[in-house]
Amino acid sequence: MDRQQEAPRIVVGVDGSPSSQAALRWAVRYAGLVGGRVEAVTAWDLPGAGSWSAPAVDATFDEEDAERRLVEEVRTVLGEGGASSVHERLVRGNPADVLVESAEGADMLVVGSRGRGGFSRALLGSVSQQVALHAPCPVTIVRPDVPVG
């Protein structure tokens, strides 16, 4: 039976933080080494959507603008040439849940060690901890780039 093997799929979480930018660069370099394809995923959720504490409405959220900003983020981090090899996806939901679900069938899930929120002294962010525990594939957690000099 002559089967053509599908290119490895690498999913990377992108949230605009320095750590996620480093994760995006790492994922693209890794994909280049293994002949893979990169899927950059950004999650968004409505405040209060998972609880009764607030109405599940965010009048200031613009999904089209968020998609545009995701594409711009990828281009800014990778340059026009590098960005052309990345597929961007904006998904509604809890970031850890979205990444775990997006990684179904993937060969690797890449996330930054720290996202946009939380405590700066924590070793890992809550999303990176959750995906490390629940992802259906290997996970790479990337620290933000440290300036040399």
Side-chain angles (χ1 to χ4, degrees):
M1 192 161 94
D2 186 26
R3 286 184 6 186
Q4 197 175 28
Q5 189 172 359
E6 194 174 314
R9 184 168 69 97
I10 293 84
V11 175
V12 58
V14 176
D15 69 1
S17 68
S19 197
S20 84
Q21 293 171 354
L24 178 59
R25 284 189 289 274
W26 190 96
V28 168
R29 282 192 301 265
Y30 178 74
L33 292 172
V34 300
R37 55 192 171 93
V38 176
E39 186 176 308
V41 178
T42 294
W44 67 276
D45 210 356
L46 297 173
S51 70
W52 293 100
S53 63
V57 175
D58 184 355
T60 63
F61 184 79
D62 181 343
E63 192 169 349
E64 287 181 18
D65 182 53
E67 287 176 351
R68 222 177 357 268
R69 284 185 288 135
L70 171 59
V71 170
E72 287 172 13
E73 173 81 9
V74 171
R75 284 192 179 130
T76 299
V77 172
L78 301 175
E80 197 66 42
S84 66
S85 65
V86 176
H87 174 73
E88 299 93 355
R89 283 186 45 227
L90 180 69
V91 181
R92 181 179 174 186
N94 171 280
D97 294 340
V98 164
L99 291 172
V100 167
E101 289 172 19
S102 295
E104 196 66 47
D107 295 273
M108 173 81 61
L109 173 59
V110 183
V111 293
S113 60
R114 300 281 318 133
R116 299 179 70 106
F119 301 100
S120 61
R121 292 186 184 181
L123 181 60
L124 291 177
S126 60
V127 172
S128 56
Q129 284 180 327
Q130 289 301 307
V131 300
L133 292 171
H134 301 290
C137 64
V139 175
T140 297
I141 300 173
V142 180
R143 292 177 48 114
D145 293 335
V146 178
V148 179

